[in-house]
Short mmCIF file of all heavy atoms in Angstrom, two decimals:
data_model
loop_
_atom_site.label_atom_id
_atom_site.label_comp_id
_atom_site.label_asym_id
_atom_site.label_seq_id
_atom_site.Cartn_x
_atom_site.Cartn_y
_atom_site.Cartn_z
N LEU A 264 -73.15 -234.81 -72.11
CA LEU A 264 -72.49 -235.52 -71.01
C LEU A 264 -73.36 -235.49 -69.76
O LEU A 264 -73.40 -236.46 -69.01
CB LEU A 264 -71.11 -234.92 -70.73
CG LEU A 264 -70.26 -235.62 -69.69
CD1 LEU A 264 -70.04 -237.09 -70.08
CD2 LEU A 264 -68.94 -234.92 -69.51
N ASN A 268 -74.50 -238.71 -67.55
CA ASN A 268 -74.24 -238.80 -66.11
C ASN A 268 -75.54 -238.97 -65.32
O ASN A 268 -75.57 -239.72 -64.33
CB ASN A 268 -73.49 -237.57 -65.62
CG ASN A 268 -72.06 -237.56 -66.09
OD1 ASN A 268 -71.48 -238.60 -66.41
ND2 ASN A 268 -71.46 -236.38 -66.16
N ALA A 269 -76.59 -238.30 -65.74
CA ALA A 269 -77.88 -238.43 -65.07
C ALA A 269 -78.42 -239.86 -65.24
O ALA A 269 -78.97 -240.43 -64.31
CB ALA A 269 -78.87 -237.42 -65.62
N VAL A 271 -76.61 -242.61 -65.74
CA VAL A 271 -75.78 -243.50 -64.92
C VAL A 271 -76.18 -243.39 -63.45
O VAL A 271 -76.31 -244.40 -62.75
CB VAL A 271 -74.29 -243.17 -65.11
CG1 VAL A 271 -73.43 -243.89 -64.09
CG2 VAL A 271 -73.84 -243.54 -66.52
N LYS A 275 -77.67 -246.43 -61.12
CA LYS A 275 -77.05 -246.79 -59.84
C LYS A 275 -78.07 -246.73 -58.70
O LYS A 275 -78.09 -247.60 -57.84
CB LYS A 275 -75.87 -245.86 -59.54
CG LYS A 275 -74.66 -246.14 -60.38
CD LYS A 275 -73.52 -245.19 -60.01
CE LYS A 275 -72.29 -245.46 -60.83
NZ LYS A 275 -71.18 -244.56 -60.48
N VAL A 279 -79.32 -249.79 -56.18
CA VAL A 279 -79.35 -249.68 -54.71
C VAL A 279 -80.75 -249.99 -54.20
O VAL A 279 -80.91 -250.72 -53.22
CB VAL A 279 -78.89 -248.28 -54.26
CG1 VAL A 279 -79.16 -248.06 -52.78
CG2 VAL A 279 -77.41 -248.08 -54.57
N GLU A 286 -82.87 -257.36 -49.83
CA GLU A 286 -82.30 -257.73 -48.53
C GLU A 286 -83.34 -257.60 -47.41
O GLU A 286 -83.43 -258.47 -46.55
CB GLU A 286 -81.08 -256.88 -48.22
CG GLU A 286 -79.88 -257.25 -49.08
CD GLU A 286 -78.65 -256.42 -48.76
OE1 GLU A 286 -78.58 -255.87 -47.63
OE2 GLU A 286 -77.78 -256.33 -49.62
N GLN A 289 -85.98 -260.38 -47.39
CA GLN A 289 -85.52 -261.67 -46.89
C GLN A 289 -85.60 -261.79 -45.37
O GLN A 289 -85.57 -262.90 -44.83
CB GLN A 289 -84.10 -261.94 -47.35
CG GLN A 289 -84.00 -262.16 -48.84
CD GLN A 289 -82.57 -262.37 -49.31
OE1 GLN A 289 -81.67 -262.54 -48.50
NE2 GLN A 289 -82.37 -262.32 -50.60
N GLY A 303 -94.69 -253.61 -44.66
CA GLY A 303 -95.31 -252.70 -45.61
C GLY A 303 -94.47 -251.47 -45.93
O GLY A 303 -94.76 -250.75 -46.88
N ILE A 305 -91.15 -251.59 -46.59
CA ILE A 305 -89.91 -251.99 -47.25
C ILE A 305 -89.66 -251.17 -48.52
O ILE A 305 -88.55 -250.64 -48.71
CB ILE A 305 -89.90 -253.50 -47.56
CG1 ILE A 305 -89.74 -254.28 -46.25
CG2 ILE A 305 -88.80 -253.85 -48.54
CD1 ILE A 305 -89.82 -255.79 -46.41
N VAL A 312 -83.43 -244.93 -49.24
CA VAL A 312 -82.00 -245.26 -49.26
C VAL A 312 -81.42 -244.95 -50.64
O VAL A 312 -80.34 -244.35 -50.76
CB VAL A 312 -81.75 -246.74 -48.88
CG1 VAL A 312 -80.32 -247.15 -49.15
CG2 VAL A 312 -82.12 -246.98 -47.43
N ALA A 313 -82.10 -245.34 -51.68
CA ALA A 313 -81.61 -245.13 -53.05
C ALA A 313 -81.55 -243.64 -53.38
O ALA A 313 -80.58 -243.18 -54.00
CB ALA A 313 -82.51 -245.85 -54.05
#
Side-chain angles (χ1 to χ4, degrees):
L264 185 57
N268 288 337
V271 169
K275 287 181 179 181
V279 169
E286 288 181 22
Q289 292 178 11
I305 289 176
V312 169

